[in-house]
Amino acid sequence: MLFRSGLEVTLGGPTVLFHEAALVSLCGAPFDATLDGVSFPLWRAVPVQAGQTLTVGGTARGLRAFLAVRGGLHGHEVFGSRATDLRAGFGGLEGRALRPGDHLTWAPLPARAARRAFIAPDLHTPTGPHHELRMLGTGDLTDDLRAALLDRPFTVSPQADRMGARLSESVAAPRDPARPSLPNVPGLLQLPPDGRPILLLP
């Protein structure tokens, strides 16, 4: 499977002026977006002409969206990825967040008629406010800890980013210094000593 790079939108923005025609899609949280002042539809491929301006505003639900351009955006490739790692300072555009005035280019693809592609509504990203998660692999938990994790709601705290989400409520964390370390995988629930679980994300 081939993954192409695009822009991650967090909380709001950007405003993008297109100098060439492109096929663009905005998916994720329901951000307000306009193309030259006209409402821009989400979850579908939209042709944009040279000289047009796409403005992405804010969102009442959710946090992030993904802005994709057909062909994929160019960027500095590290370990086979063009993703930007802000903490390490590499990838993407000089390893930093985008700033006003930055110029981005994308890979040209053979010209062909733009298809009216869209993503079915049942595949859209859910934006809450409540989500039910399935838990797998609970066989080695105590009955009390299993009940504490499964029989109550949890709230995502402000200590959350793309790596993980710390939950506000506490549970009685197991204390077993002899237990071997486990690899981190998306969806793993980490139970640190303070008892506030961390849901690991991609």
Side-chain angles (χ1 to χ4, degrees), residues 77-157:
E77 186 174 314
V78 179
F79 299 124
S81 171
R82 291 186 175 90
T84 304
D85 188 323
L86 294 177
R87 291 177 180 170
F90 61 73
L93 185 63
E94 301 174 359
R96 59 171 173 80
L98 296 180
R99 297 192 291 248
D102 282 341
H103 292 263
L104 302 174
T105 59
W106 57 88
L109 291 177
R112 63 185 182 193
R115 298 179 180 178
R116 298 184 180 275
F118 66 93
I119 297 185
D122 60 336
L123 297 177
H124 291 188
T125 306
T127 55
H130 303 286
H131 299 284
E132 185 171 309
L133 303 179
R134 293 182 305 136
M135 182 174 279
L136 306 175
T138 63
D140 57 347
L141 298 179
T142 65
D143 291 341
D144 289 344
L145 183 53
R146 187 181 299 107
L149 291 171
L150 297 179
D151 295 343
R152 61 189 283 197
F154 286 89
T155 306
V156 175
S157 78

Side-chain angles (χ1 to χ4, degrees), residues 2-6 22-24 68-74 82 105-110:
L2 178 63
F3 293 97
R4 299 188 187 277
S5 54
L23 189 62
V24 180
V69 179
R70 183 173 182 265
L73 296 177
H74 289 141
R82 291 186 175 90
T105 59
W106 57 88
L109 291 177

